[in-house]
Amino acid sequence: MLLALCLLVIVIPVLSLAPGKARTTPPSGALVVRANTTSPNEFPTLIAAVAALPADSSPQSIFIYPGTYPGQVLIDRAGPVTIYGYTTDTSSPAHNAAVLTASASAASAGSDDASGTLRLKVDGAALYNLDIRNGFGKGSQALALSNYGTRVGVYACGLYGFQDTLLTEQGLQVYLQGHIEGAVDFIFGQRSQAYIAGNTLAVSSPGCITANGRSSNDSGMYLLERNTIVLASGAASNTSGKVFLGRPWRDFARVVFKSTIVTAPLNPAIWSEWSTAMPNTDHILFADFNTTGPGVPSNAAEPSFATPLTAKEAAAYNITSALGSGWESWVDADYLF
Ligand SMILES: *[C@@H]1O[C@H](CO)[C@@H](O)[C@H](O)[C@H]1NC(C)=O
Ligand SMILES: *[C@@H]1O[C@H](CO)[C@@H](O)[C@H](O)[C@H]1NC(C)=O
Ligand SMILES: *[C@@H]1O[C@H](CO)[C@@H](O)[C@H](O)[C@H]1NC(C)=O
Ligand SMILES: *[C@@H]1O[C@H](CO)[C@@H](O)[C@H](O)[C@H]1NC(C)=O
Ligand SMILES: *[C@@H]1O[C@H](CO)[C@@H](O)[C@H](O)[C@H]1NC(C)=O
């Protein structure tokens, strides 16, 4: 009996590790970042490695060994950059070992973008298995990732903040199989076409998950598919019942959630106006389809500014409608489940 119990305890974790691939050594050609390195061929910080990239249009890559790397990082070179964090399992953020951390706020830095722990002003970038944190907490916008690039893929990364964790501002962007955490408007931006799928969206305090700022009838939209909404570990006790899928930052906001599993207790209205004084609900598309799980209140009643979708209408929202054709050339299909 005792032996059988021991076997159970040992066998289960081994099996659960099986599907992932490890990435524990630098891909060939990558610059190498290693905390406390004494090697002249390596960089002690991502800031130093980014500064060493050639200022041209060549594709470059960077590999980051385990460690917590303080300081804000801006990448604004002409050519694309791929950043790989060390992990024993590339398929999810659970084993991410390279952590970027800072705690600037928009109030002190001067703008939302300027507060970002990682700021991407580069096209064609890809991030793999990186954790990016803004530790400022409550009281100001304080971004973990500020993303102004087009054709940018963020794969199995952990983004942690409180208000405005992720700025997806413009261009074509995907966020796949990661962890995005915050409380207020924590996925926001104005002109991007963003496909956000297979992530855990972790809510730490009352607020709206998305704040889309589309301000004219352009091609911008957020399509969120097959994500799981959970209470973050250590979530404030009053979060329950005060979580909304989104509120419209501007009055052409367009956000569709498909096949979301919700365990964090949502507000029965599901969607919020921006504010009583400025509802911003005139031309918006706010729609969720096939939202299930114990976090959906039994008395859920969506407001008139939300749009119910039939299965046929919902089927028209997919990665191609969100990003336009040609996404296959830059999206890493390994993360499209
Ligand atoms: C680097 O050195 C500092 C100071 O000794 C230490 O706190 C930190 O854990 C080291 N980081 C790594 C990844 O070894
Ligand atoms: C937005 O543009 C599309 C075509 O791109 C059109 O079908 C739709 O009616 C427009 N909506 C509004 C509110 O102007
Ligand atoms: C939730 O509780 C926190 C303290 O934990 C408080 O600061 C906040 O104002 C409360 N929010 C709401 C919407 O009740
Ligand atoms: C509804 O969502 C669940 C969970 O993501 C998924 O397994 C199921 O296939 C979806 N059903 C439809 C009709 O899209
Ligand atoms: C997206 O939807 C369109 C129109 O409904 C369909 O033709 C296309 O095959 C779908 N694409 C994907 C990738 O599912």
Side-chain angles (χ1 to χ4, degrees):
M1 181 58 184
L2 191 59
L3 182 65
L5 268 179
C6 290
L7 281 176
L8 255 182
V9 167
I10 291 161
V11 164
I12 289 168
V14 168
L15 284 179
S16 71
L17 280 179
K21 284 178 293 180
R23 189 193 306 103
T24 54
T25 54
S28 120
L31 299 190
V32 174
V33 175
R34 193 187 319 239
N36 306 330
T37 185
T38 54
S39 163
N41 300 321
E42 298 178 346
F43 298 88
T45 64
L46 178 60
I47 298 168
V50 168
L53 293 173
D56 61 20
S57 58
S58 62
Q60 297 289 333
S61 64
I62 297 175
F63 173 80
I64 309 180
Y65 274 103
T68 296
Y69 297 86
Q72 291 180 266
V73 182
L74 167 66
I75 306 181
D76 63 356
R77 68 189 296 273
V81 179
T82 300
I83 304 180
Y84 301 98
Y86 176 109
T87 180
T88 52
D89 178 358
T90 56
S91 70
S92 87
H95 299 273
N96 291 355
V99 182
L100 309 182
T101 181
S103 52
S105 71
S108 63
S111 69
D112 289 343
D113 167 54
S115 74
T117 297
L118 179 61
R119 301 165 65 202
L120 296 178
K121 306 270 175 90
V122 59
D123 295 337
L127 308 178
Y128 289 91
N129 300 100
L130 264 188
D131 276 6
I132 306 169
R133 294 179 174 271
N134 188 314
F136 179 80
K138 192 175 176 171
S140 170
Q141 298 88 342
L143 281 53
L145 176 61
S146 175
N147 191 349
Y148 280 68
T150 193
R151 299 182 306 281
V152 174
V154 176
Y155 307 108
C157 288
L159 309 178
Y160 295 84
F162 187 91
Q163 179 173 353
D164 293 9
T165 305
L166 167 61
L167 172 54
T168 166
E169 178 63 1
Q170 61 187 24
L172 311 178
Q173 304 180 354
V174 297
Y175 299 86
L176 302 176
Q177 309 292 346
H179 178 103
I180 307 173
E181 180 164 324
V184 178
D185 304 338
F186 66 91
I187 300 173
F188 83 110
Q190 300 187 84
R191 291 176 301 281
S192 71
Q193 292 168 246
Y195 182 69
I196 300 168
N199 302 280
T200 298
L201 309 178
V203 183
S204 59
S205 255
C208 295
I209 294 171
T210 64
N212 181 269
R214 181 171 176 258
S215 59
S216 67
N217 192 18
D218 62 21
S219 51
M221 82 170 302
Y222 297 167
L223 175 56
L224 298 101
E225 197 167 10
R226 289 186 292 269
N227 298 285
T228 302
I229 298 173
V230 303
L231 283 176
S233 74
S237 56
N238 61 356
T239 310
S240 188
K242 299 202 183 82
V243 177
F244 299 84
L245 296 184
R247 61 175 182 156
W249 182 20
R250 296 283 186 267
D251 59 12
F252 283 82
R254 186 155 65 154
V255 179
V256 176
F257 277 79
K258 285 178 66 176
S259 299
T260 311
I261 296 173
V262 186
T263 65
L266 297 181
N267 184 274
I270 311 295
W271 298 94
S272 173
E273 57 187 20
W274 179 256
S275 68
T276 310
M278 208 167 55
N280 290 353
T281 52
D282 288 352
H283 308 286
I284 65 173
L285 174 67
F286 272 5
D288 63 288
F289 176 77
N290 187 27
T291 308
T292 60
V296 180
S298 54
N299 60 342
E302 300 202 3
S304 57
F305 59 78
T307 302
L309 296 180
T310 63
K312 187 161 180 261
E313 287 163 343
Y317 293 103
N318 61 30
I319 186 170
T320 303
S321 57
L323 302 175
S325 59
W327 55 266
E328 294 90 340
S329 68
W330 60 272
V331 174
D332 187 336
D334 285 355
Y335 292 84
L336 283 175
F337 34 115

